[in-house]
Amino acid sequence: MLSPTKPAAPSHNRVPEVTVDFWLIKLMAVTMGETAADYLAVNLGLGLTVTSLVMTGILIVALVLQFAQKRYVPWAYWLAVVLISIVGTLITDNLVDNFGVRLQTTTIAFSVALAATFAVWYASERTLSIHTIVTTRREIFYWLAILFTFSLGTAAGDLVAESYDMGYLTSGLLFGGVIALIALAWYLLHLDGILAFWLAYILTRPLGASFGDLLSQPAEYGGLGFGTIFTSLIFLGCIIGLVLYMTLKKTADEADEILLESD
């Protein structure tokens, strides 16, 4: 979802352009984040606390690698996205399951935290554009916003699917419909591209989580019973394949740019 008047992204932008490939892999990443978090905490028996500490440590390492690139490198970027999806899910699960915070409260709290992040980001940089993440400070704001979108999406998704008893399939269709409306508003009504992007980014989290739970949860809980291991491995394989494709495509595009500059 791009702004109709979006300028070309700088070649040293540290995050990817928003294309169909971007949305596909993002949706798979958030779906895997839901099922992988459940597998580690429940099926593997590590528990929420241990899983959260371990995955947060791994995420920090991944973010250090991402920040060290100073440009968009597909494997480093998407590794960070997958891990931050898992950690964002675990943050919400810890608040709800370990500390007894209501889903309504966590949804409101993460909405406020995300809004505050955007406010400070805009006050500091005078833009929220994802097309010009070219400094470390902007990238910090970017990843902080990403973390809060995942935690917010987890809380909102669970609130709709469980507290309002809508079920995984209905919830997924609901969030998918809202995303479609945002896309139509951007395309037909010229909704601001940056606003449309962030709204869709938030909603892909509960969309992916709903379908992840639909595939992985047992039939008695409204799922199809494929299990968290099988579901996670399927989406991990798709993510790896897409990242490989993006890497090869980016390498080819860079080679073409060099040839054009040399002519």
Side-chain angles (χ1 to χ4, degrees):
M1 203 173 292
L2 300 172
S3 168
T5 58
K6 179 189 80 70
S11 60
H12 56 295
N13 196 22
R14 302 183 185 186
V15 303
E17 293 184 40
V18 184
T19 61
V20 173
D21 296 340
F22 173 92
W23 289 114
L24 280 175
I25 194 170
K26 200 274 181 176
L27 185 59
M28 291 179 185
V30 298
T31 305
M32 182 186 165
E34 177 72 16
T35 58
D38 288 345
Y39 170 72
L40 293 170
V42 180
N43 300 81
L44 204 59
L46 295 179
L48 278 175
T49 302
V50 173
T51 302
S52 300
L53 292 173
V54 171
M55 296 310 299
T56 298
I58 297 174
L59 171 61
I60 290 171
V61 173
L63 286 175
V64 169
L65 290 173
Q66 164 63 22
F67 275 83
Q69 305 306 315
K70 306 301 182 185
R71 62 189 181 92
Y72 170 56
V73 177
W75 70 265
Y77 176 86
W78 290 108
L79 174 63
V81 169
V82 170
L83 290 170
I84 209 168
S85 173
I86 296 173
V87 171
T89 299
L90 290 168
I91 290 173
T92 299
D93 288 347
N94 269 286
L95 289 172
V96 174
D97 296 338
N98 283 348
F99 296 98
V101 182
R102 298 170 69 239
L103 284 169
Q104 291 89 340
T105 304
T106 55
T107 300
I108 294 171
F110 285 123
S111 297
V112 172
L114 181 59
T117 300
F118 284 142
V120 176
W121 183 354
Y122 188 81
S124 173
E125 300 294 327
R126 309 310 300 174
T127 179
L128 298 178
S129 176
I130 40 81
H131 307 300
T132 55
I133 307 298
V134 295
T135 66
T136 298
R137 184 165 64 180
R138 288 187 182 183
E139 191 173 6
I140 290 172
F141 283 126
Y142 176 87
W143 287 109
L144 187 60
I146 295 299
L147 176 62
F148 286 137
T149 64
F150 282 128
S151 294
L152 171 59
T154 300
D158 289 348
L159 179 65
V160 171
E162 298 173 14
S163 297
Y164 296 153
D165 198 28
M166 293 186 65
Y168 301 125
L169 178 59
T170 303
S171 298
L173 293 175
L174 172 64
F175 287 115
V178 175
I179 292 172
L181 289 176
I182 293 170
L184 286 174
W186 167 75
Y187 186 74
L188 298 176
L189 304 177
H190 302 297
L191 176 67
D192 179 75
I194 301 303
L195 175 61
F197 169 82
W198 285 113
L199 288 175
Y201 201 98
I202 292 168
L203 291 170
T204 52
R205 176 63 185 85
L207 172 64
S210 296
F211 284 110
D213 284 335
L214 176 66
L215 292 171
S216 64
Q217 294 301 312
E220 57 265 32
Y221 296 129
L224 298 177
F226 291 126
T228 55
I229 299 177
F230 182 72
T231 305
S232 298
L233 288 176
I234 286 178
F235 284 102
L236 177 60
C238 293
I239 290 169
I240 291 173
L242 277 171
V243 170
L244 180 59
Y245 165 76
M246 288 178 170
T247 301
L248 294 174
K249 183 176 182 297
K250 187 171 185 296
T251 301
D253 290 343
E254 289 175 347
D256 289 341
E257 288 179 6
I258 293 174
L259 287 175
L260 288 173
E261 291 173 359
S262 62
D263 288 343

